[in-house]
Amino acid sequence: MQVLIVDDVASLRRTLRLTLESQGHRVTEAGTGTAALSMLGSERIDLVFLDLRLGQESGLELLPTMRMRSPGVGIVVMTAFAAVDTAVEAMRRGAFDYLPKPFTPEQLRLLLARWEQVRGLQREVDSLREQMRAAVPELDLSTDEPQVQSTLDVAFRVAPTDAAVLIRGESGTGKGVLARAIHQRSKRVGRPMIPVNCPSLSAELLESELFGHARGAFTGAVEATEGKVAAADGGTLFLDEIGDLPVSLQPKLLRFLQEKQYERVGEARTRTADVRILAATNRDLEADVAAGRFREDLLYRLNVIELSLPPLRERRRDLLAIARHLLQFFARQTGKELHGFTPEAEAAIYRHRWPGNLRELRNAIERGVILTMDSEVDLRHLPHQLAQLPSAGRIEVGGPVTLEALEAEHIRRVIATSASLEDAATILGIDPSTLYRKRKKLG
């Protein structure tokens, strides 16, 4: 391994260096925190031995910065002033282990062996993540839509903090993708992000899934289990469709948000966990609060930062770019060399309103890639509903329809094929403000 020793005492650095080199490791040294940070920024370092007292500098204060500079590095703190509270604080700030001075070569060898095992597990996790990325198309977060860009700007500004985030949007708009992007840009990126699908289980089973249960807590609980809160300790808990969280469970989640404390089902012992909360919903939570289905105080705790993702029908500037990204992904999956969509297919994709949002688009593009035997995906390869104009055959010029219905259909079609509302207003020959009022009136 490539090891960095950070200690202000040259004789101690030399002794440790000789021991490490005798065990086959490559070693560099730094006498100050500034020098250590410079090396972390310019060299590949696997493991750092960091003294907690660097002259006037504090190793504890330096530790989080080192973790941010090199997220994958292991940090072992060393001190002659061993104390349990110091060890706990060092681990809390991201240290891999704690080594009180003086230590023996055997202690050092065992510690290095443990870190090598951790590195092996990390490599396995990275490999599995790459396999998942190859199997599941991650949507490109680049956008030409001002509303989406504004949401991303706020999301990435809040990502390094521990603030709770509530992501709103229709089903299938990419709320989970945005939550993962926030976690990946947070200081918790080296820790797990654990998802919880709130509508998936009954209140009793969901409580057990969240907080865990003691052995014998209920029928079938033959062993004690940790919940997802414990699994996410130090990382992020993503509560998907939080609006469907059972009312009976909401006070317990609120307490955890406020105090970071919880109990397993069937157990009196209070436990703690350091977890960052991200939540998502497709529901009108304010209406649920008014109806007594959701606690107002819980909404306030979850909604520290609110992000909204628009439906796909309102992302016309991004629609074809997303479709082409998905086409290339599925082309690689199926071993096909595709150049894109035919003009007719692109027009149909652009015209369709996509009520199922990104999920529906993904399925449609996958179908098209599978069915095509050509170098392009044509309209005939896509789901049949894409070939139909909105309300096709029902509202026609000269047909038995009112002027109001005819105007509404015309406005819908112009908006569906325009790059922006301003362009649609220009085509219609009206002011954008007038078009906005007509959209609102027509729903």
Side-chain angles (χ1 to χ4, degrees), residues 101-117:
K101 298 176 182 177
F103 44 85
T104 66
E106 180 62 14
Q107 286 177 296
L108 202 57
R109 187 188 66 78
L110 292 174
L111 187 147
L112 291 166
R114 285 203 307 276
W115 176 243
E116 186 58 47
Q117 185 179 31

Side-chain angles (χ1 to χ4, degrees), residues 230-243:
D233 193 12
T236 301
L237 191 69
F238 175 49
L239 302 173
D240 198 12
E241 301 305 346
I242 188 66

Side-chain angles (χ1 to χ4, degrees), residues 35 41 58 62 81 102 175-176 199 210 245 255 275 307 313 342 375:
S58 166
L62 185 63
F81 307 93
K175 299 187 291 295
L210 266 176
L245 187 72
R255 180 203 171 200
V275 172
L307 303 174
R313 61 184 173 275
T342 63
S375 61

